[in-house]
Amino acid sequence: MNGHRPWWRSGKGIAAGVVLLGALLAGGFYLKEHNAFAGRAVESETQADGTMLKFKTAGENVEVFKDGKWQPFFAQGVNLGATLPGHFPGEFPIERADYLRWFGQIKEMGANVIRVYTRHQPVFYEALVDFNRKHADDPLYFIQGIWSPEEQLIEKQDAYDSEIEKAFREEIENDVKAVYGDLTMPGTQGKSSGTYKANAGPYLLGWSIGTEWDPEMVANTNKRHKDKASYVGPFFATTAKATPFEAWLAQMVDYAAKTEQAYGWRHPMSFTNWVTTDVLSHPNEPLFTEDLVSVDATHLKPVQWNAGYFASYHVYPYYPDFFRFDDKDGKGRTDTYTPYLKKLKAYHKGMPIMVTEYGVPSSAGVSHLAPLGRSQGGHNETEQGKIDAELTKIIHDQGYSGALLFMWQDEWFKKTWNTMPMELPEDRRAYWLNVLTNEKQFGVLGMYAGLEDKLVIDGEDGDWDKLKSSRKTKLQADVPGIESIEAAHDEAYVYLGIRLDHPFDPSKEKIEIGTDSLPGGNRRGDALPGKTLDEGLETLVTIGDDKETGVKIAARYDMEKRLYGYVYGMIDMSAQELKDDSGLFNDWHLPVSLKMEPPDTKTAHPYENIDVGTLKRGTNNPASASYDSLAMWQYQGGFIELRIPWMLLGLADPSSKRAVSYEMPKKAFSTEAIEGIRFVPWIVDKETNEVVGLEAETASGSYPVTQVPKYTWDGWDAVTYTERLKPSYTAMQEVYTEIGQRPKTGG
């Protein structure tokens, strides 16, 4: 009994005993010693056939059996990933202590449900059962996602492919067995494995079948299999309006129900869906594929499944683009999210519906714009929390049955469309934190790079003094007015600490620091009035007033211009910009919307970008009332400190010391191994435009950049990181307290 008192001595043991007896009498149920007694303290209702129900759907509500009766239940919680910094999802590095710590924090936040996308290692279910036994009066429930063969579906474009069906059924069967502690899975690369003994079934809220569906695959499946538009199973069936893909889904949901039935339990069923394959029409959506086909939850129905069935959607306020183009005044002042949820809820009248993914990231990078500032990125952690809480309240107030935030923890392995062309090699993304890739920072639990709590951006130099000498390097700084420059780095940033011999006054001067990592770049230009270098600069870091402080990029090295100008022709790249040593430094941009034109799209829309090179002044000290997670620099007196995201300096992968190359074979970025980065400082007098520094000269009269020592570092295959709750955690805690697990409407 694992040290717990016998079930028959607990107050809830009698009800559980009746449940067990009924299950035995009904026959055919799975029974195993380690599972037969697991979860008996979980209050549930026994059905006439002996099966047990803890959750069920009733009208437009999800209900929980508690205190001897069925009560409406609002699922308020988070999605939980399967990995940590320095690891990819298939490696499953999370340990028991991590899960238990997180469960406690999630519970303290006020969440009642977590959702996992796929089968985790046995330790997840063991930890959850142990945690819930200690919180028996108010356990933490979970929704188990079952991963569909996503890559095969996209590749073969046919859900009825025999290999796909076989693989998906195996995944369903294994996941159900894992939840009920009845699986031994041999080690397979990229898959969870081990012996599953813990019965987590009593804490399950429901099943979520599949992943976000590729619209072209759905449309092709419907086209190929017109004769398969209906399905009638023992537990789930289609309605007369179903499509062939929906009939396939009904089969898979039914198979999950049949598999679970053998364990004497029934839980609400659902399948994962998203806005791209929703049931509504979006005339303002420019991309055909985003409004191509519907996957309709109302076309499936439970036949003999009294636990019920609910609809599940991923709904973000910035994707697809119709959320922007439905904006009435076109100036980003219209709430397009609430009307969408209202329409979606109305369509699913009579059944519960949950938003099982939503939220915004706390990242410097941005990849989609949205009305009311609810963009995909560009928010600090406080702003993230405000928006996440606001979206949660909207979902609740529209009568949904659940709101599951994306997500619990930051995920370094993630990629985003507008930075992934430069993050190379792809298989090393998890080893560094690219803060320009917004997908990495959706969590309310921050996963920060190694120096986050050692070098605090606040303008104080004490933490630099305390930093071990092995972690910092003194750079060459032969510039009148600059006493010293020190550099350090971690998995996210290069840090610079600059000491002047006078108080810094950005109204009178600006400090420029050119960086050189590759042969080529700008050796002269407006930024270097009257000066010439013997080697070119890839980027230029300016420290001045708040508006001008940031990083610019040499025109010929400009990654946005090269890819979306030179290769794709969406923006202009002048002949001058294509020249080496053009003298031009461009703002550091990322695209947020590509140029769209008929006939490839329904309507024409221009290319749009955003400046990500600006460095924000402030403090990233979480103990400060003015804490700003996106603060990149600060100064006090004669000391200036800043941190620069690796990608802004041209790094494709700092962990293997590879920079984005000037060369673009096959019209795509390539990388080059580098020894390090040269930092070349000078000061510009704002009144006279006079350059102070760069005095040394070669025989040809140029400044010898090639003689400046490089800042070097060792590559790494293991990461250090700091785990800390963000202000967005507190914001979610407040909204969860307000909602109090109670549905707003429905039923």
Side-chain angles (χ1 to χ4, degrees):
M1 300 303 295
N2 298 322
H4 291 273
R5 62 178 178 168
W7 61 270
W8 59 83
R9 293 183 185 174
S10 71
K12 298 176 182 175
I14 296 174
V18 173
V19 166
L20 177 64
L21 181 60
L24 291 171
L25 293 175
F29 293 140
Y30 164 84
L31 183 61
K32 206 171 190 178
E33 185 177 353
H34 68 265
N35 261 299
F37 297 97
R40 284 183 176 171
V42 178
E43 185 182 14
S44 57
E45 184 183 71
T46 310
Q47 307 303 293
D49 64 357
T51 57
M52 292 171 275
L53 295 184
K54 178 63 179 178
F55 287 93
K56 70 174 183 177
T57 63
E60 296 183 356
N61 282 334
V62 169
E63 294 187 341
V64 61
F65 192 73
K66 187 176 182 181
D67 299 329
K69 60 182 180 181
W70 288 101
Q71 302 179 31
F73 180 88
F74 182 81
Q76 52 190 51
V78 292
N79 288 270
L80 180 72
T83 193
L84 294 170
H87 297 275
F88 288 88
E91 295 174 7
F92 296 98
I94 305 173
E95 298 180 354
R96 175 186 174 84
D98 299 317
Y99 282 125
L100 290 174
R101 180 176 66 257
W102 292 355
F103 294 158
Q105 292 170 327
I106 291 170
K107 193 71 186 153
E108 183 68 23
M109 185 171 62
N112 54 24
V113 174
I114 56 176
R115 175 177 177 243
V116 292
Y117 295 94
T118 188
R119 183 178 68 251
H120 282 223
Q121 292 288 82
V123 67
F124 165 76
Y125 304 95
E126 293 164 5
L128 185 64
V129 169
D130 286 351
F131 178 84
N132 282 336
R133 282 174 176 165
K134 295 173 183 175
H135 300 82
D137 293 336
D138 190 20
L140 187 60
Y141 300 107
F142 74 110
I143 292 176
Q144 177 67 53
I146 302 179
W147 198 263
S148 52
E150 189 177 37
E151 292 183 4
Q152 289 174 277
L153 284 166
I154 292 173
E155 178 189 347
K156 296 187 176 182
Q157 294 286 294
D158 183 3
Y160 283 95
D161 177 88
S162 59
E163 290 183 4
I164 289 174
E165 286 196 325
K166 181 175 182 291
F168 199 14
R169 287 176 184 270
E170 286 179 358
E171 192 72 11
I172 290 170
E173 187 173 335
N174 289 334
D175 285 10
V176 174
K177 287 182 175 181
V179 166
Y180 286 98
D182 183 31
L183 178 69
T184 298
M185 180 61 61
T188 305
Q189 187 173 2
K191 292 275 191 178
S192 60
S193 60
T195 301
Y196 294 78
K197 295 180 179 179
N199 179 7
Y203 303 109
L204 184 69
L205 184 151
W207 301 94
S208 184
I209 311 298
T211 48
E212 296 172 342
W213 309 111
D214 174 57
E216 293 178 300
M217 177 277 295
V218 173
N220 194 60
T221 297
N222 290 338
K223 183 179 178 181
R224 284 191 184 184
H225 302 281
K226 294 179 181 178
D227 59 334
K228 296 179 180 178
S230 66
Y231 173 80
V232 178
F235 300 111
F236 280 85
T238 53
T239 68
K241 295 181 179 180
T243 64
F245 181 77
E246 291 160 356
W248 177 84
L249 263 179
Q251 290 183 52
M252 297 305 161
V253 172
D254 189 59
Y255 188 71
K258 282 189 285 188
T259 308
E260 183 180 43
Q261 174 71 5
Y263 292 91
W265 281 87
R266 291 183 182 181
H267 288 92
M269 291 284 174
S270 185
F271 65 82
T272 302
N273 207 353
W274 61 324
V275 177
T276 296
T277 52
D278 71 1
V279 292
L280 305 178
S281 176
H282 307 293
N284 289 329
E285 172 53 48
L287 294 178
F288 292 112
T289 53
E290 297 295 349
D291 201 22
L292 175 67
V293 67
S294 293
V295 179
D296 194 331
T298 70
H299 293 172
L300 280 69
K301 61 181 181 181
V303 179
Q304 295 290 333
W305 194 255
N306 49 4
Y309 166 66
F310 64 96
S312 168
Y313 277 89
H314 298 171
V315 188
Y316 294 92
Y318 44 74
Y319 185 83
D321 273 327
F322 73 80
F323 278 111
R324 245 187 344 135
F325 300 133
D326 282 353
D327 180 11
K328 292 176 183 177
D329 65 7
K331 296 180 180 179
R333 298 182 296 202
T334 304
D335 178 9
T336 58
Y337 193 70
T338 303
Y340 174 82
L341 291 179
K342 188 184 291 289
K343 292 176 187 175
L344 193 67
K345 176 72 167 61
Y347 185 93
H348 293 83
K349 183 176 176 61
M351 71 182 297
I353 178 172
M354 293 187 190
V355 177
T356 50
E357 267 194 33
Y358 66 99
V360 299
S362 59
S363 61
V366 184
S367 64
H368 288 100
L369 300 178
L372 301 180
R374 298 168 179 163
S375 300
Q376 188 177 1
H379 314 289
N380 65 29
E381 293 167 2
T382 303
E383 294 162 348
Q384 176 199 31
K386 182 180 178 182
I387 296 170
D388 283 352
E390 184 179 56
L391 297 178
T392 304
K393 198 166 187 311
I394 291 171
I395 295 165
H396 174 261
D397 289 354
Q398 288 303 312
Y400 282 67
S401 296
L404 302 182
L405 182 72
F406 185 83
M407 69 169 310
W408 172 243
Q409 82 270 39
D410 287 343
E411 299 180 298
W412 290 13
F413 76 91
K414 285 290 189 69
K415 58 188 177 183
T416 300
W417 69 274
N418 61 357
T419 57
M420 57 189 286
M422 296 91 83
E423 287 180 334
L424 303 168
E426 296 179 13
D427 61 0
R428 297 193 64 83
R429 285 195 182 108
Y431 299 127
W432 63 294
L433 175 58
N434 185 1
V435 297
L436 301 187
T437 298
N438 66 80
E439 285 281 350
K440 298 176 185 287
Q441 294 182 284
F442 268 91
V444 294
L445 177 67
M447 300 291 187
Y448 305 93
L451 288 180
E452 178 77 16
D453 57 353
K454 293 181 175 63
L455 286 181
V456 178
I457 302 299
D458 56 6
E460 297 278 356
D461 62 0
D463 46 4
W464 282 87
D465 293 335
K466 294 176 185 175
L467 193 66
K468 292 180 180 179
S469 58
S470 59
R471 298 295 303 271
K472 58 188 177 183
T473 300
K474 191 169 184 177
L475 303 180
Q476 178 175 308
D478 53 352
V479 178
I482 297 180
E483 288 185 348
S484 66
I485 301 178
E486 289 183 304
H489 73 276
D490 62 13
E491 293 84 352
Y493 303 100
V494 173
Y495 292 78
L496 297 177
I498 305 168
R499 290 181 173 87
L500 307 180
D501 64 7
H502 60 279
F504 178 57
D505 185 350
S507 68
K508 296 180 179 179
E509 63 183 346
K510 61 181 178 180
I511 298 171
E512 304 274 27
I513 303 176
T515 76
D516 167 43
S517 52
L518 297 166
N522 289 338
R523 299 186 294 279
R524 60 181 66 82
D526 290 344
L528 290 153
K531 300 289 183 177
T532 302
L533 313 178
D534 73 343
E535 176 55 77
L537 305 176
E538 276 65 59
T539 68
L540 179 66
V541 182
T542 299
I543 305 166
D545 61 38
D546 291 356
K547 290 183 179 179
E548 64 188 342
T549 300
V551 182
K552 293 182 182 291
I553 188 165
R556 186 170 173 265
Y557 195 52
D558 187 329
M559 296 166 207
E560 182 208 29
K561 286 287 187 82
R562 284 195 281 161
L563 187 59
Y564 299 103
Y566 178 72
V567 174
Y568 294 123
M570 293 186 181
I571 52 177
D572 292 332
M573 188 173 189
S574 66
Q576 180 68 16
E577 288 177 300
L578 284 167
K579 293 179 181 177
D580 187 37
D581 192 22
S582 67
L584 302 174
F585 285 98
N586 294 338
D587 290 334
W588 225 117
H589 285 133
L590 283 176
V592 290
S593 182
L594 300 183
K595 188 175 182 179
M596 295 179 277
E597 292 182 323
D600 297 324
T601 60
K602 289 190 284 187
T603 52
H605 289 280
Y607 178 94
E608 297 174 82
N609 61 15
I610 191 166
D611 188 343
V612 293
T614 301
L615 298 180
K616 191 175 183 181
R617 187 163 68 91
T619 179
N620 71 329
N621 181 358
S624 170
S626 55
Y627 169 65
D628 187 340
S629 59
L630 296 185
M632 299 294 176
W633 79 288
Q634 187 55 283
Y635 70 94
Q636 287 194 40
F639 181 71
I640 305 165
E641 61 181 340
L642 65 156
R643 55 181 185 170
I644 308 167
W646 281 108
M647 183 167 277
L648 292 184
L649 298 175
L651 271 292
D653 171 37
S655 71
S656 62
K657 301 182 70 173
R658 301 198 70 85
V660 175
S661 171
Y662 281 93
E663 304 302 320
M664 294 189 71
K666 300 181 181 178
K667 296 185 177 181
F669 292 115
S670 60
T671 67
E672 231 175 280
I674 63 171
E675 294 178 8
I677 302 172
R678 293 187 179 99
F679 291 93
V680 183
W682 65 93
I683 298 176
V684 177
D685 185 304
K686 286 190 172 182
E687 290 184 6
T688 64
N689 208 32
E690 178 187 358
V691 172
V692 179
L694 305 179
E695 303 302 332
E697 291 185 358
T698 63
S700 62
S702 58
Y703 179 79
V705 170
T706 53
Q707 295 178 26
V708 174
K710 293 179 179 177
Y711 175 68
T712 62
W713 65 93
D714 294 329
W716 64 83
D717 293 314
V719 307
T720 56
Y721 65 94
T722 298
E723 183 182 296
R724 187 177 72 232
L725 296 171
K726 301 179 183 178
S728 50
Y729 173 94
T730 305
M732 293 304 298
Q733 189 177 50
E734 291 172 357
V735 78
Y736 286 157
T737 299
E738 180 184 346
I739 291 170
Q741 308 185 37
R742 297 180 299 274
K744 183 76 172 181
T745 60

